[in-house]
Amino acid sequence: MINHVPTTAYTMKIHINKKEVELPEGSRLTDVAQREKLPNKGVAIAVNNELVCCDDWKDHPLREGDDLLIIKAFCGG
């Protein structure tokens, strides 16, 4: 898998689970997944209330002001 590497020094601000985060412009959902050390399975990400399939994370660019919700599945009771 080839990882997308943002190539600009400019940054943008987004929200991840209601926490403001600064990322390089040109970042994609795969960059967020790596930054947050998300597991390969059992994770869902919604961008501005729209679920994005994990197969599309590498192609999904982020924009200034995007609101991300990350949900991790877990087992137990």
Side-chain angles (χ1 to χ4, degrees):
M1 178 170 132
I2 298 174
N3 292 327
H4 173 265
V5 178
T7 58
T8 178
Y10 296 107
T11 60
M12 62 180 169
K13 292 180 182 177
I14 65 167
H15 289 92
I16 300 175
N17 292 353
K18 299 185 180 186
K19 180 180 174 185
E20 189 172 81
V21 174
E22 205 166 297
L23 296 174
E25 270 188 8
S27 292
R28 299 179 184 278
L29 282 180
T30 49
D31 300 315
V32 171
Q34 290 174 352
R35 179 188 186 280
E36 299 294 315
K37 298 179 175 74
L38 298 178
N40 292 332
K41 294 185 178 189
V43 177
I45 301 178
V47 179
N48 303 321
N49 295 318
E50 294 287 330
L51 188 62
V52 179
C53 177
C54 62
D55 293 336
D56 296 331
W57 290 0
K58 67 185 177 308
D59 298 319
H60 191 93
L62 297 171
R63 293 178 179 78
E64 178 81 27
D66 276 349
D67 186 26
L68 277 62
L69 177 64
I70 299 174
I71 300 169
K72 298 177 194 173
F74 65 95
C75 297

